[in-house]
């Protein structure tokens, strides 16, 4: 009826139910339209994120739906309704609320978790029942190796706040050096290709980007790998 009209989202946020969401067309003045928003019984879930040794992982992001899901944004308007995402506390615990599932029926969703620094992620399929609360089995992150890096200026002074990344894109994680210029690069053991030797990119404001020597995550590193950075030089000129 509305042709190629622009569309948006509308949400109903009733207490005691999961949000009802719908896609609506943008109407012109004087036009009317009716939309039915279905609000289902909310399912709730709690769980814990741990490392390979069973220790809690704090600050991990846990989610069911995509971050672009309209329900998650609706939760910003009414935080009490909950959403399909959470952050683990100091004990690795999290709670997912306001998940729309028809009462008495089951739905299988994938629960995902990611380290706060983006080092690795883990996922698990879970069956939710409308109107019920469940406990999700532990989300277990795989073990990882550490590479120790120290970033300094040419005169030996430490560079704090330098950013270390993987230019090959095997991980999207970023690591920042502390006030002593040191950083621990965490390499997940979840896939064999993550553990192959490679150089890492180091960047810092006011310095020329540089790379580390080839580093092998599978070798035990007793000392920090030192990376020296040169001050960036600027050229001024004019184009005629």
């Amino acid at each position: 009826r509305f042709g190629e009209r622009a569309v948006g989202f509308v949400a109903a946020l009733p207490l005691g139910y999961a949000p009802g969401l719908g896609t609506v067309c943008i109407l012109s003045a004087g036009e009317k339209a009716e939309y039915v928003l279905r609000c289902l019984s909310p399912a709730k879930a709690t769980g814990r994120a741990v490392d390979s040794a069973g220790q809690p992982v704090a600050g991990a992001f846990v989610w069911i739906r995509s971050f672009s899901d309209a329900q998650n944004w609706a939760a910003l308007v009414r935080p009490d309704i909950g959403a399909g995402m959470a952050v683990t506390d100091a004990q690795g615990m999290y709670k997912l609320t306001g998940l729309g599932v028809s009462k008495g029926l089951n739905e299988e969703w994938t629960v995902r978790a990611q380290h706060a620094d983006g080092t690795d992620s883990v996922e698990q399929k879970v069956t939710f029942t409308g109107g019920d609360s469940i406990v999700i089995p532990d989300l277990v992150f795989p073990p990882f190796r550490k590479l120790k890096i120290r970033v300094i200026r040419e005169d030996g002074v430490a560079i704090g706040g330098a950013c270390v990344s993987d230019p090959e894109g095997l991980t999207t994680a970023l690591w920042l050096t502390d006030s002593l210029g040191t950083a621990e690069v965490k390499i997940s053991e979840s896939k064999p290709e993550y553990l192959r030797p490679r150089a890492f990119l180091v960047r810092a404001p006011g310095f020329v980007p540089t790379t580390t020597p080839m580093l092998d995550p599978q070798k035990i590193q007793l000392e920090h790998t030192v990376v020296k950075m040169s001050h960036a030089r600027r050229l001024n000129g004019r184009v005629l």
Side-chain angles (χ1 to χ4, degrees):
R1 171 183 171 183
F2 297 108
E4 298 299 324
R5 297 282 185 86
V7 297
F9 288 102
V10 63
L13 311 176
L15 288 173
Y17 293 86
L21 305 170
T23 303
V24 298
C25 294
I26 306 302
L27 303 178
S28 300
E31 290 184 311
K32 295 182 179 180
E34 290 187 2
Y35 296 93
V36 176
L37 303 179
R38 194 162 170 244
C39 300
L40 301 176
S41 301
K44 300 179 181 179
T46 57
R48 187 176 66 144
V50 299
D51 61 21
S52 58
Q55 296 301 307
V57 176
F61 296 100
V62 182
W63 73 96
I64 292 178
R65 296 180 175 84
S66 164
F67 285 108
S68 62
D69 190 302
Q71 177 168 333
N72 289 333
W73 301 117
L76 298 177
V77 181
R78 275 270 305 280
D80 56 299
I81 66 171
M85 59 182 179
V87 177
T88 58
D89 61 18
Q91 286 73 46
M93 300 298 297
Y94 63 89
K95 179 168 64 175
L96 302 171
T97 60
L99 309 174
V101 183
S102 297
K103 190 170 184 178
L105 298 182
N106 298 326
E107 278 194 33
E108 186 181 73
W109 288 338
T110 300
V111 179
R112 297 178 173 86
Q114 184 178 50
H115 269 292
D117 60 8
T119 302
D120 206 354
S121 61
V122 63
E123 63 181 46
Q124 186 172 158
K125 290 188 179 299
V126 178
T127 299
F128 292 84
T129 302
D132 288 349
S133 297
I134 67 168
V135 177
I136 298 175
D138 285 352
L139 297 170
V140 183
F141 284 98
F144 56 84
R145 306 289 180 92
K146 292 182 180 180
L147 297 173
K148 298 184 289 185
I149 295 175
R150 184 166 185 262
V151 182
I152 61 174
R153 302 186 326 200
E154 291 179 314
D155 60 3
V157 176
I159 301 177
C163 178
V164 182
S165 61
D166 183 355
E168 297 186 21
L170 293 178
T171 175
T172 58
L174 300 174
W175 300 272
L176 296 179
T177 58
D178 57 21
S179 60
L180 300 177
T182 61
E184 282 192 342
V185 175
K186 297 178 181 178
I187 306 298
S188 171
E189 296 183 9
S190 59
K191 295 182 180 180
E193 57 265 32
Y194 291 168
L195 298 176
R196 63 179 176 79
R198 59 192 184 277
F200 290 81
L201 178 64
V202 183
R203 293 171 294 175
F207 293 87
V208 179
T210 188
T211 57
T212 68
M214 294 293 288
L215 300 177
D216 188 347
Q218 301 193 68
K219 291 184 177 180
I220 297 176
Q221 192 180 9
L222 299 178
E223 302 291 338
H224 284 82
T225 297
V226 177
V227 178
K228 289 186 178 181
M229 302 191 73
S230 303
H231 282 284
R233 294 173 174 80
R234 297 181 179 179
L235 298 176
N236 296 320
R238 186 173 63 159
V239 178
L240 301 175

